[in-house]
Amino acid sequence: MTNIKSRSLPKNRVFSGAQPSGNMHLGNYLGAFRNWARLQQDFECIYCVVDLHAITVWQDPADLVRQTREAAAAYIASGVDPKRSILFNQSRVAAHSELAWIFNCVARMGWLNRMTQFKDKAGKHRERASVGLYVYPDLMAADILTYKATHVPVGEDQKQHLELTRDIAQKFNNDYDREVFPIVEPLISKEGARIMSLRDGSKKMSKSDPSDASRINLTDTADSIVQKIRKAKTDPEPLPEDVAGLDGRPEAHNLVGIYGALTDKSMEAVLKEHGGTGFAEFKKTLVDVAVAHLSPITGEMARLMDDPAEIDQILSDGAERAAALAAPVMEEVRETVGLIGRHTY
Ligand code: AQP
């Protein structure tokens, strides 16, 4: 490779997003949004509501509009500042779709065939899954690379997709003999990295779980948070004195993890304080911590959702700023691929 330098590669640019495919929950908050807010101190951040990803599975149109606003409200209520960072929804910036198509032509079938999330989500009904669900990782690569983002905060479950983004960037740069795209780095935070269902400690807390009791929604009232934690599945043993004692106890592990993430303490520190305590008592402490921590967030979300025009304006301003960043990158890509004239005869 002759290593022709790209026009510009930003140094510290973060891109991340969440799908507006249902109620945003405590897992999204502890695993993503809270961290996104913190990253604003050190990075130039672009946060996207990835509505085009959401429609890879059926979404009722009216629900999708509401969920998109709700996702934006959740980001802001969690500390994302739409003036400092760029906040918008994916479908408003056409560059994502255009670059995704180009990446469909760069990524190999064999690469996509290895994606475990497609296998999990398509399940036994692979033949009936949308083509969009299959090429979802190419769109994710486009989301990130259309801004030449350098860092992507991801949950463990998205690590494989990020590897694919790196492979696509590498292959594109090699194929066209030009260093257009950066090789992105994952940012994985340890605390709150994986919050599990309150009904089954072996399943992750998820928007698409049919049981509302399985998750704490960022729209839940304090009463509902109290009820859900009280009813959370546990086992009859008291909390162990150390982390090794949580082995084989997924529900206990999850509640200790949630408590730790909400109080910014390690699991070891939580067990030092609460080891030997029964669940009836520990849940009371957890309820207090959860309600105190989440109330300002749920309150702010409710305030924002009362004014959909304000959210729409924020998304539209963010989209304008995002499109301005994407435009020169797409120009460079079109030129590199030969879709517009760079080469002379
Ligand atoms: N349970 C979780 N624990 C920690 N982090 C989580 N995230 C999601 N669930 C948990 C993180 O939130 C960000 C946005 O995720 P997403 O909405 O794009 O997709 P997802 O991971 O598919 O979320 P869900 O809730 O499981 O949605 P459905 O049910 O629609 O598939 C990501 O950084 C994710 O890691």
Side-chain angles (χ1 to χ4, degrees), residues 16-19 21 24-25 27-28 31-33 36 50 117 121 136 153-155 157-158 192-196 204-209:
S16 200
Q19 300 183 68
S21 47
M24 294 296 163
H25 52 73
N28 295 128
F33 306 157
W36 295 359
V50 290
Q117 194 180 79
K121 290 205 167 177
Y136 177 116
V154 280
D157 50 337
Q158 289 292 334
R194 204 165 164 81
I195 303 299
M196 311 308 279
K204 85 166 185 163
M205 188 176 284
S206 167
K207 297 182 220 98
S208 54
D209 192 318

PDB file of all heavy atoms in Angstrom, residues 16-19 21 24-25 27-28 31-33 36 50 117 121 136 153-155 157-158 192-196 204-209, ligand 1:
ATOM      1  N   SER A  16     -21.432   6.917  18.969  1.00  0.00           N
ATOM      2  CA  SER A  16     -22.198   5.782  19.506  1.00  0.00           C
ATOM      3  C   SER A  16     -23.690   6.023  19.293  1.00  0.00           C
ATOM      4  O   SER A  16     -24.107   7.140  18.965  1.00  0.00           O
ATOM      5  CB  SER A  16     -21.894   5.550  20.996  1.00  0.00           C
ATOM      6  OG  SER A  16     -22.271   4.225  21.341  1.00  0.00           O
ATOM      7  N   GLY A  17     -24.469   4.971  19.463  1.00  0.00           N
ATOM      8  CA  GLY A  17     -25.908   5.104  19.258  1.00  0.00           C
ATOM      9  C   GLY A  17     -26.680   3.984  19.920  1.00  0.00           C
ATOM     10  O   GLY A  17     -26.107   2.977  20.340  1.00  0.00           O
ATOM     11  N   ALA A  18     -27.986   4.195  20.030  1.00  0.00           N
ATOM     12  CA  ALA A  18     -28.874   3.145  20.540  1.00  0.00           C
ATOM     13  C   ALA A  18     -30.100   3.095  19.639  1.00  0.00           C
ATOM     14  O   ALA A  18     -30.486   4.116  19.040  1.00  0.00           O
ATOM     15  CB  ALA A  18     -29.284   3.440  21.980  1.00  0.00           C
ATOM     16  N   GLN A  19     -30.687   1.918  19.564  1.00  0.00           N
ATOM     17  CA  GLN A  19     -31.858   1.748  18.691  1.00  0.00           C
ATOM     18  C   GLN A  19     -33.135   2.190  19.403  1.00  0.00           C
ATOM     19  O   GLN A  19     -33.380   1.740  20.524  1.00  0.00           O
ATOM     20  CB  GLN A  19     -32.048   0.269  18.368  1.00  0.00           C
ATOM     21  CG  GLN A  19     -30.907  -0.386  17.678  1.00  0.00           C
ATOM     22  CD  GLN A  19     -31.271  -1.816  17.348  1.00  0.00           C
ATOM     23  OE1 GLN A  19     -32.118  -2.062  16.514  1.00  0.00           O
ATOM     24  NE2 GLN A  19     -30.632  -2.761  18.027  1.00  0.00           N
ATOM     25  N   SER A  21     -35.947   1.069  19.649  1.00  0.00           N
ATOM     26  CA  SER A  21     -36.801  -0.093  19.368  1.00  0.00           C
ATOM     27  C   SER A  21     -37.671  -0.470  20.561  1.00  0.00           C
ATOM     28  O   SER A  21     -38.266  -1.547  20.585  1.00  0.00           O
ATOM     29  CB  SER A  21     -35.914  -1.280  18.949  1.00  0.00           C
ATOM     30  OG  SER A  21     -34.830  -1.409  19.848  1.00  0.00           O
ATOM     31  N   MET A  24     -36.183   2.643  26.689  1.00  0.00           N
ATOM     32  CA  MET A  24     -34.799   2.687  27.163  1.00  0.00           C
ATOM     33  C   MET A  24     -34.784   2.283  28.635  1.00  0.00           C
ATOM     34  O   MET A  24     -35.685   2.634  29.398  1.00  0.00           O
ATOM     35  CB  MET A  24     -34.234   4.105  27.009  1.00  0.00           C
ATOM     36  CG  MET A  24     -34.119   4.519  25.564  1.00  0.00           C
ATOM     37  SD  MET A  24     -32.920   3.462  24.696  1.00  0.00           S
ATOM     38  CE  MET A  24     -33.373   3.794  23.005  1.00  0.00           C
ATOM     39  N   HIS A  25     -33.759   1.551  29.041  1.00  0.00           N
ATOM     40  CA  HIS A  25     -33.780   0.953  30.376  1.00  0.00           C
ATOM     41  C   HIS A  25     -32.471   1.153  31.135  1.00  0.00           C
ATOM     42  O   HIS A  25     -31.509   1.732  30.602  1.00  0.00           O
ATOM     43  CB  HIS A  25     -34.128  -0.534  30.251  1.00  0.00           C
ATOM     44  CG  HIS A  25     -33.271  -1.265  29.266  1.00  0.00           C
ATOM     45  ND1 HIS A  25     -31.957  -1.589  29.512  1.00  0.00           N
ATOM     46  CD2 HIS A  25     -33.525  -1.705  28.006  1.00  0.00           C
ATOM     47  CE1 HIS A  25     -31.452  -2.213  28.455  1.00  0.00           C
ATOM     48  NE2 HIS A  25     -32.389  -2.289  27.516  1.00  0.00           N
ATOM     49  N   GLY A  27     -30.160  -0.875  31.810  1.00  0.00           N
ATOM     50  CA  GLY A  27     -28.993  -1.453  31.126  1.00  0.00           C
ATOM     51  C   GLY A  27     -28.417  -0.473  30.126  1.00  0.00           C
ATOM     52  O   GLY A  27     -27.204  -0.254  30.077  1.00  0.00           O
ATOM     53  N   ASN A  28     -29.284   0.176  29.337  1.00  0.00           N
ATOM     54  CA  ASN A  28     -28.818   1.194  28.383  1.00  0.00           C
ATOM     55  C   ASN A  28     -28.124   2.336  29.140  1.00  0.00           C
ATOM     56  O   ASN A  28     -27.090   2.847  28.699  1.00  0.00           O
ATOM     57  CB  ASN A  28     -29.986   1.799  27.583  1.00  0.00           C
ATOM     58  CG  ASN A  28     -30.677   0.797  26.674  1.00  0.00           C
ATOM     59  OD1 ASN A  28     -31.887   0.647  26.717  1.00  0.00           O
ATOM     60  ND2 ASN A  28     -29.927   0.089  25.839  1.00  0.00           N
ATOM     61  N   GLY A  31     -24.865   0.854  30.992  1.00  0.00           N
ATOM     62  CA  GLY A  31     -23.912   0.291  30.030  1.00  0.00           C
ATOM     63  C   GLY A  31     -23.491   1.280  28.957  1.00  0.00           C
ATOM     64  O   GLY A  31     -22.469   1.092  28.314  1.00  0.00           O
ATOM     65  N   ALA A  32     -24.296   2.332  28.760  1.00  0.00           N
ATOM     66  CA  ALA A  32     -23.985   3.237  27.649  1.00  0.00           C
ATOM     67  C   ALA A  32     -24.150   4.713  28.021  1.00  0.00           C
ATOM     68  O   ALA A  32     -23.158   5.430  28.152  1.00  0.00           O
ATOM     69  CB  ALA A  32     -24.860   2.889  26.445  1.00  0.00           C
ATOM     70  N   PHE A  33     -25.374   5.172  28.207  1.00  0.00           N
ATOM     71  CA  PHE A  33     -25.630   6.623  28.252  1.00  0.00           C
ATOM     72  C   PHE A  33     -24.799   7.367  29.294  1.00  0.00           C
ATOM     73  O   PHE A  33     -24.289   8.461  29.048  1.00  0.00           O
ATOM     74  CB  PHE A  33     -27.114   6.918  28.519  1.00  0.00           C
ATOM     75  CG  PHE A  33     -28.065   6.245  27.574  1.00  0.00           C
ATOM     76  CD1 PHE A  33     -29.393   6.019  27.937  1.00  0.00           C
ATOM     77  CD2 PHE A  33     -27.652   5.806  26.316  1.00  0.00           C
ATOM     78  CE1 PHE A  33     -30.284   5.404  27.074  1.00  0.00           C
ATOM     79  CE2 PHE A  33     -28.533   5.179  25.448  1.00  0.00           C
ATOM     80  CZ  PHE A  33     -29.843   4.978  25.836  1.00  0.00           C
ATOM     81  N   TRP A  36     -21.449   7.758  28.022  1.00  0.00           N
ATOM     82  CA  TRP A  36     -21.405   8.742  26.930  1.00  0.00           C
ATOM     83  C   TRP A  36     -21.268  10.151  27.506  1.00  0.00           C
ATOM     84  O   TRP A  36     -20.510  10.965  26.984  1.00  0.00           O
ATOM     85  CB  TRP A  36     -22.684   8.699  26.091  1.00  0.00           C
ATOM     86  CG  TRP A  36     -22.936   7.439  25.335  1.00  0.00           C
ATOM     87  CD1 TRP A  36     -22.147   6.325  25.293  1.00  0.00           C
ATOM     88  CD2 TRP A  36     -24.063   7.174  24.502  1.00  0.00           C
ATOM     89  NE1 TRP A  36     -22.730   5.383  24.494  1.00  0.00           N
ATOM     90  CE2 TRP A  36     -23.904   5.882  24.001  1.00  0.00           C
ATOM     91  CE3 TRP A  36     -25.199   7.905  24.156  1.00  0.00           C
ATOM     92  CZ2 TRP A  36     -24.834   5.292  23.145  1.00  0.00           C
ATOM     93  CZ3 TRP A  36     -26.138   7.324  23.305  1.00  0.00           C
ATOM     94  CH2 TRP A  36     -25.953   6.032  22.802  1.00  0.00           C
ATOM     95  N   VAL A  50     -30.344   5.451  16.425  1.00  0.00           N
ATOM     96  CA  VAL A  50     -30.188   4.721  15.163  1.00  0.00           C
ATOM     97  C   VAL A  50     -31.524   4.094  14.717  1.00  0.00           C
ATOM     98  O   VAL A  50     -31.761   2.897  14.823  1.00  0.00           O
ATOM     99  CB  VAL A  50     -29.009   3.708  15.219  1.00  0.00           C
ATOM    100  CG1 VAL A  50     -27.686   4.452  15.248  1.00  0.00           C
ATOM    101  CG2 VAL A  50     -29.077   2.778  16.414  1.00  0.00           C
ATOM    102  N   GLN A 117     -24.707 -11.990  16.507  1.00  0.00           N
ATOM    103  CA  GLN A 117     -25.953 -11.301  16.845  1.00  0.00           C
ATOM    104  C   GLN A 117     -27.040 -11.586  15.809  1.00  0.00           C
ATOM    105  O   GLN A 117     -28.205 -11.737  16.165  1.00  0.00           O
ATOM    106  CB  GLN A 117     -25.747  -9.794  16.981  1.00  0.00           C
ATOM    107  CG  GLN A 117     -26.932  -9.150  17.665  1.00  0.00           C
ATOM    108  CD  GLN A 117     -26.785  -7.646  17.827  1.00  0.00           C
ATOM    109  OE1 GLN A 117     -26.991  -6.858  16.907  1.00  0.00           O
ATOM    110  NE2 GLN A 117     -26.419  -7.237  19.015  1.00  0.00           N
ATOM    111  N   LYS A 121     -30.550 -13.091  16.824  1.00  0.00           N
ATOM    112  CA  LYS A 121     -31.798 -12.352  16.582  1.00  0.00           C
ATOM    113  C   LYS A 121     -32.684 -13.038  15.545  1.00  0.00           C
ATOM    114  O   LYS A 121     -33.900 -13.005  15.651  1.00  0.00           O
ATOM    115  CB  LYS A 121     -31.510 -10.902  16.177  1.00  0.00           C
ATOM    116  CG  LYS A 121     -30.970 -10.088  17.339  1.00  0.00           C
ATOM    117  CD  LYS A 121     -31.237  -8.602  17.195  1.00  0.00           C
ATOM    118  CE  LYS A 121     -30.955  -7.901  18.537  1.00  0.00           C
ATOM    119  NZ  LYS A 121     -31.108  -6.475  18.499  1.00  0.00           N
ATOM    120  N   TYR A 136     -26.886  -5.370   8.902  1.00  0.00           N
ATOM    121  CA  TYR A 136     -26.848  -4.410  10.018  1.00  0.00           C
ATOM    122  C   TYR A 136     -25.413  -3.986  10.353  1.00  0.00           C
ATOM    123  O   TYR A 136     -25.124  -2.788  10.505  1.00  0.00           O
ATOM    124  CB  TYR A 136     -27.537  -5.106  11.192  1.00  0.00           C
ATOM    125  CG  TYR A 136     -27.612  -4.425  12.516  1.00  0.00           C
ATOM    126  CD1 TYR A 136     -28.853  -4.059  13.056  1.00  0.00           C
ATOM    127  CD2 TYR A 136     -26.480  -4.186  13.297  1.00  0.00           C
ATOM    128  CE1 TYR A 136     -28.950  -3.477  14.306  1.00  0.00           C
ATOM    129  CE2 TYR A 136     -26.573  -3.591  14.541  1.00  0.00           C
ATOM    130  CZ  TYR A 136     -27.805  -3.247  15.035  1.00  0.00           C
ATOM    131  OH  TYR A 136     -27.902  -2.658  16.268  1.00  0.00           O
ATOM    132  N   PRO A 153     -17.627   3.649  22.195  1.00  0.00           N
ATOM    133  CA  PRO A 153     -17.986   2.940  23.417  1.00  0.00           C
ATOM    134  C   PRO A 153     -19.006   1.862  23.097  1.00  0.00           C
ATOM    135  O   PRO A 153     -20.053   2.170  22.523  1.00  0.00           O
ATOM    136  CB  PRO A 153     -18.586   4.032  24.311  1.00  0.00           C
ATOM    137  CG  PRO A 153     -18.968   5.142  23.402  1.00  0.00           C
ATOM    138  CD  PRO A 153     -18.220   4.989  22.115  1.00  0.00           C
ATOM    139  N   VAL A 154     -18.695   0.628  23.405  1.00  0.00           N
ATOM    140  CA  VAL A 154     -19.627  -0.468  23.070  1.00  0.00           C
ATOM    141  C   VAL A 154     -19.764  -1.435  24.235  1.00  0.00           C
ATOM    142  O   VAL A 154     -18.847  -1.587  25.029  1.00  0.00           O
ATOM    143  CB  VAL A 154     -19.138  -1.311  21.859  1.00  0.00           C
ATOM    144  CG1 VAL A 154     -19.430  -0.641  20.556  1.00  0.00           C
ATOM    145  CG2 VAL A 154     -17.700  -1.708  21.988  1.00  0.00           C
ATOM    146  N   GLY A 155     -20.908  -2.077  24.284  1.00  0.00           N
ATOM    147  CA  GLY A 155     -21.101  -3.176  25.223  1.00  0.00           C
ATOM    148  C   GLY A 155     -20.362  -4.395  24.656  1.00  0.00           C
ATOM    149  O   GLY A 155     -20.036  -4.435  23.464  1.00  0.00           O
ATOM    150  N   ASP A 157     -21.475  -7.094  23.836  1.00  0.00           N
ATOM    151  CA  ASP A 157     -22.237  -7.709  22.746  1.00  0.00           C
ATOM    152  C   ASP A 157     -21.966  -7.072  21.383  1.00  0.00           C
ATOM    153  O   ASP A 157     -22.286  -7.650  20.352  1.00  0.00           O
ATOM    154  CB  ASP A 157     -23.743  -7.665  23.071  1.00  0.00           C
ATOM    155  CG  ASP A 157     -24.206  -6.277  23.481  1.00  0.00           C
ATOM    156  OD1 ASP A 157     -23.353  -5.478  23.939  1.00  0.00           O
ATOM    157  OD2 ASP A 157     -25.395  -5.986  23.336  1.00  0.00           O
ATOM    158  N   GLN A 158     -21.399  -5.870  21.387  1.00  0.00           N
ATOM    159  CA  GLN A 158     -21.159  -5.196  20.098  1.00  0.00           C
ATOM    160  C   GLN A 158     -19.701  -5.305  19.651  1.00  0.00           C
ATOM    161  O   GLN A 158     -19.323  -4.763  18.616  1.00  0.00           O
ATOM    162  CB  GLN A 158     -21.550  -3.716  20.198  1.00  0.00           C
ATOM    163  CG  GLN A 158     -23.053  -3.476  20.296  1.00  0.00           C
ATOM    164  CD  GLN A 158     -23.779  -3.844  19.013  1.00  0.00           C
ATOM    165  OE1 GLN A 158     -23.210  -3.819  17.933  1.00  0.00           O
ATOM    166  NE2 GLN A 158     -25.042  -4.237  19.129  1.00  0.00           N
ATOM    167  N   GLY A 192     -21.024  -1.898  35.132  1.00  0.00           N
ATOM    168  CA  GLY A 192     -22.293  -1.760  34.407  1.00  0.00           C
ATOM    169  C   GLY A 192     -22.207  -2.247  32.978  1.00  0.00           C
ATOM    170  O   GLY A 192     -23.043  -1.924  32.153  1.00  0.00           O
ATOM    171  N   ALA A 193     -21.141  -3.015  32.656  1.00  0.00           N
ATOM    172  CA  ALA A 193     -20.961  -3.437  31.273  1.00  0.00           C
ATOM    173  C   ALA A 193     -22.101  -4.346  30.811  1.00  0.00           C
ATOM    174  O   ALA A 193     -22.465  -4.329  29.648  1.00  0.00           O
ATOM    175  CB  ALA A 193     -19.626  -4.131  31.107  1.00  0.00           C
ATOM    176  N   ARG A 194     -22.686  -5.099  31.710  1.00  0.00           N
ATOM    177  CA  ARG A 194     -23.770  -5.987  31.305  1.00  0.00           C
ATOM    178  C   ARG A 194     -24.777  -6.137  32.453  1.00  0.00           C
ATOM    179  O   ARG A 194     -24.515  -6.838  33.430  1.00  0.00           O
ATOM    180  CB  ARG A 194     -23.184  -7.360  30.929  1.00  0.00           C
ATOM    181  CG  ARG A 194     -24.065  -8.128  29.989  1.00  0.00           C
ATOM    182  CD  ARG A 194     -23.263  -9.274  29.393  1.00  0.00           C
ATOM    183  NE  ARG A 194     -24.135 -10.265  28.785  1.00  0.00           N
ATOM    184  CZ  ARG A 194     -24.654 -10.136  27.564  1.00  0.00           C
ATOM    185  NH1 ARG A 194     -24.396  -9.074  26.850  1.00  0.00           N
ATOM    186  NH2 ARG A 194     -25.425 -11.082  27.068  1.00  0.00           N
ATOM    187  N   ILE A 195     -25.885  -5.461  32.306  1.00  0.00           N
ATOM    188  CA  ILE A 195     -26.953  -5.551  33.300  1.00  0.00           C
ATOM    189  C   ILE A 195     -27.939  -6.620  32.817  1.00  0.00           C
ATOM    190  O   ILE A 195     -28.320  -6.631  31.646  1.00  0.00           O
ATOM    191  CB  ILE A 195     -27.675  -4.176  33.447  1.00  0.00           C
ATOM    192  CG1 ILE A 195     -26.673  -3.067  33.819  1.00  0.00           C
ATOM    193  CG2 ILE A 195     -28.814  -4.259  34.448  1.00  0.00           C
ATOM    194  CD1 ILE A 195     -25.932  -3.244  35.117  1.00  0.00           C
ATOM    195  N   MET A 196     -28.316  -7.500  33.730  1.00  0.00           N
ATOM    196  CA  MET A 196     -29.147  -8.633  33.333  1.00  0.00           C
ATOM    197  C   MET A 196     -30.617  -8.401  33.702  1.00  0.00           C
ATOM    198  O   MET A 196     -30.951  -7.518  34.495  1.00  0.00           O
ATOM    199  CB  MET A 196     -28.626  -9.926  33.987  1.00  0.00           C
ATOM    200  CG  MET A 196     -27.121 -10.142  33.829  1.00  0.00           C
ATOM    201  SD  MET A 196     -26.529 -10.019  32.128  1.00  0.00           S
ATOM    202  CE  MET A 196     -26.931 -11.636  31.528  1.00  0.00           C
ATOM    203  N   LYS A 204     -29.737 -10.830  29.209  1.00  0.00           N
ATOM    204  CA  LYS A 204     -29.458  -9.416  29.453  1.00  0.00           C
ATOM    205  C   LYS A 204     -30.753  -8.602  29.511  1.00  0.00           C
ATOM    206  O   LYS A 204     -31.758  -8.980  28.888  1.00  0.00           O
ATOM    207  CB  LYS A 204     -28.474  -8.873  28.413  1.00  0.00           C
ATOM    208  CG  LYS A 204     -29.055  -8.407  27.127  1.00  0.00           C
ATOM    209  CD  LYS A 204     -28.025  -7.587  26.344  1.00  0.00           C
ATOM    210  CE  LYS A 204     -28.712  -7.032  25.112  1.00  0.00           C
ATOM    211  NZ  LYS A 204     -28.047  -5.954  24.466  1.00  0.00           N
ATOM    212  N   MET A 205     -30.710  -7.536  30.300  1.00  0.00           N
ATOM    213  CA  MET A 205     -31.868  -6.629  30.344  1.00  0.00           C
ATOM    214  C   MET A 205     -32.023  -6.048  28.950  1.00  0.00           C
ATOM    215  O   MET A 205     -31.058  -5.562  28.367  1.00  0.00           O
ATOM    216  CB  MET A 205     -31.621  -5.521  31.373  1.00  0.00           C
ATOM    217  CG  MET A 205     -32.817  -4.651  31.621  1.00  0.00           C
ATOM    218  SD  MET A 205     -32.554  -3.418  32.928  1.00  0.00           S
ATOM    219  CE  MET A 205     -32.662  -4.397  34.411  1.00  0.00           C
ATOM    220  N   SER A 206     -33.247  -6.124  28.413  1.00  0.00           N
ATOM    221  CA  SER A 206     -33.409  -5.798  27.008  1.00  0.00           C
ATOM    222  C   SER A 206     -34.761  -5.125  26.753  1.00  0.00           C
ATOM    223  O   SER A 206     -35.762  -5.435  27.407  1.00  0.00           O
ATOM    224  CB  SER A 206     -33.309  -7.121  26.240  1.00  0.00           C
ATOM    225  OG  SER A 206     -33.731  -6.949  24.936  1.00  0.00           O
ATOM    226  N   LYS A 207     -34.763  -4.203  25.767  1.00  0.00           N
ATOM    227  CA  LYS A 207     -36.005  -3.506  25.404  1.00  0.00           C
ATOM    228  C   LYS A 207     -37.047  -4.473  24.877  1.00  0.00           C
ATOM    229  O   LYS A 207     -38.237  -4.272  25.028  1.00  0.00           O
ATOM    230  CB  LYS A 207     -35.751  -2.494  24.270  1.00  0.00           C
ATOM    231  CG  LYS A 207     -34.823  -1.398  24.597  1.00  0.00           C
ATOM    232  CD  LYS A 207     -34.729  -0.470  23.382  1.00  0.00           C
ATOM    233  CE  LYS A 207     -33.320  -0.014  23.172  1.00  0.00           C
ATOM    234  NZ  LYS A 207     -32.589  -0.772  22.163  1.00  0.00           N
ATOM    235  N   SER A 208     -36.555  -5.506  24.163  1.00  0.00           N
ATOM    236  CA  SER A 208     -37.504  -6.386  23.479  1.00  0.00           C
ATOM    237  C   SER A 208     -37.987  -7.541  24.353  1.00  0.00           C
ATOM    238  O   SER A 208     -38.763  -8.359  23.885  1.00  0.00           O
ATOM    239  CB  SER A 208     -36.872  -6.925  22.195  1.00  0.00           C
ATOM    240  OG  SER A 208     -35.651  -7.536  22.498  1.00  0.00           O
ATOM    241  N   ASP A 209     -37.565  -7.587  25.627  1.00  0.00           N
ATOM    242  CA  ASP A 209     -38.098  -8.644  26.504  1.00  0.00           C
ATOM    243  C   ASP A 209     -39.583  -8.371  26.724  1.00  0.00           C
ATOM    244  O   ASP A 209     -39.968  -7.261  27.131  1.00  0.00           O
ATOM    245  CB  ASP A 209     -37.344  -8.622  27.844  1.00  0.00           C
ATOM    246  CG  ASP A 209     -37.640  -9.860  28.669  1.00  0.00           C
ATOM    247  OD1 ASP A 209     -38.823 -10.273  28.725  1.00  0.00           O
ATOM    248  OD2 ASP A 209     -36.703 -10.423  29.249  1.00  0.00           O
TER     249      ASP A 209
HETATM  250  N1  AQP B   1     -28.463  -5.025  29.502  1.00  0.00           N
HETATM  251  C1  AQP B   1     -27.525  -4.174  29.130  1.00  0.00           C
HETATM  252  N2  AQP B   1     -26.453  -3.967  29.918  1.00  0.00           N
HETATM  253  C2  AQP B   1     -25.495  -3.084  29.557  1.00  0.00           C
HETATM  254  N3  AQP B   1     -25.529  -2.365  28.412  1.00  0.00           N
HETATM  255  C3  AQP B   1     -26.588  -2.548  27.599  1.00  0.00           C
HETATM  256  N4  AQP B   1     -26.920  -2.010  26.415  1.00  0.00           N
HETATM  257  C4  AQP B   1     -28.100  -2.519  26.001  1.00  0.00           C
HETATM  258  N5  AQP B   1     -28.558  -3.410  26.906  1.00  0.00           N
HETATM  259  C5  AQP B   1     -27.639  -3.452  27.905  1.00  0.00           C
HETATM  260  C6  AQP B   1     -26.103  -1.040  25.716  1.00  0.00           C
HETATM  261  O1  AQP B   1     -26.907   0.062  25.342  1.00  0.00           O
HETATM  262  C7  AQP B   1     -26.429   0.583  24.106  1.00  0.00           C
HETATM  263  C8  AQP B   1     -27.562   0.735  23.149  1.00  0.00           C
HETATM  264  O2  AQP B   1     -28.043  -0.524  22.821  1.00  0.00           O
HETATM  265  P1  AQP B   1     -29.089  -0.728  21.648  1.00  0.00           P
HETATM  266  O3  AQP B   1     -30.362  -0.167  22.058  1.00  0.00           O
HETATM  267  O4  AQP B   1     -28.571  -0.201  20.373  1.00  0.00           O
HETATM  268  O5  AQP B   1     -29.127  -2.240  21.387  1.00  0.00           O
HETATM  269  P2  AQP B   1     -29.252  -3.501  22.215  1.00  0.00           P
HETATM  270  O6  AQP B   1     -27.949  -3.827  22.858  1.00  0.00           O
HETATM  271  O7  AQP B   1     -29.775  -4.484  21.254  1.00  0.00           O
HETATM  272  O8  AQP B   1     -30.309  -3.137  23.347  1.00  0.00           O
HETATM  273  P3  AQP B   1     -31.529  -4.004  23.786  1.00  0.00           P
HETATM  274  O9  AQP B   1     -32.178  -3.337  24.925  1.00  0.00           O
HETATM  275  O10 AQP B   1     -31.141  -5.441  23.993  1.00  0.00           O
HETATM  276  O11 AQP B   1     -32.489  -3.845  22.574  1.00  0.00           O
HETATM  277  P4  AQP B   1     -33.265  -4.909  21.755  1.00  0.00           P
HETATM  278  O12 AQP B   1     -34.040  -5.685  22.746  1.00  0.00           O
HETATM  279  O13 AQP B   1     -34.113  -4.075  20.836  1.00  0.00           O
HETATM  280  O14 AQP B   1     -32.225  -5.736  21.030  1.00  0.00           O
HETATM  281  C9  AQP B   1     -25.342  -0.372  23.585  1.00  0.00           C
HETATM  282  O15 AQP B   1     -24.065   0.184  23.868  1.00  0.00           O
HETATM  283  C10 AQP B   1     -25.583  -1.610  24.399  1.00  0.00           C
HETATM  284  O16 AQP B   1     -24.406  -2.366  24.589  1.00  0.00           O
END
